[in-house]
Amino acid sequence: MLQQNPQAQLTWQRTFSDDKFLARTDALIYDPAADGYDLYEIKSSTSVKKDHEFDLAFQALLLK
């Protein structure tokens, strides 16, 4: 993403809160051309686990 779009901005482990819940993203990339974000959950496993999906879904919902 960053190589294809040098204007994109990468943020590591940014924390978000809505005063009730707290989430820390692994990697968040802002693309000014699309005026949108890509959210990445980084794990050191060889397969996707259900807990990973729940964690990513929680982060995405909180960021919305």
Side-chain angles (χ1 to χ4, degrees):
M1 177 79 171
L2 295 176
Q3 291 176 352
Q4 295 172 353
N5 184 354
Q7 303 301 317
Q9 301 165 356
L10 170 64
T11 304
W12 292 107
Q13 296 192 336
R14 187 167 170 192
T15 301
F16 295 87
S17 174
D18 67 354
D19 293 327
K20 187 174 181 181
F21 297 104
L22 180 76
R24 181 172 294 129
T25 62
D26 287 338
L28 188 63
I29 298 177
Y30 176 68
D31 181 357
D35 192 26
Y37 289 87
D38 290 316
L39 174 62
Y40 293 89
E41 181 70 12
I42 301 170
K43 300 293 183 195
S44 62
S45 62
T46 57
S47 63
V48 175
K49 297 182 173 63
K50 201 56 135 174
D51 289 347
H52 301 164
E53 293 175 354
F54 291 139
D55 191 23
L56 186 58
F58 175 78
Q59 291 175 39
L61 288 170
L62 185 65
L63 268 65
K64 275 189 169 189

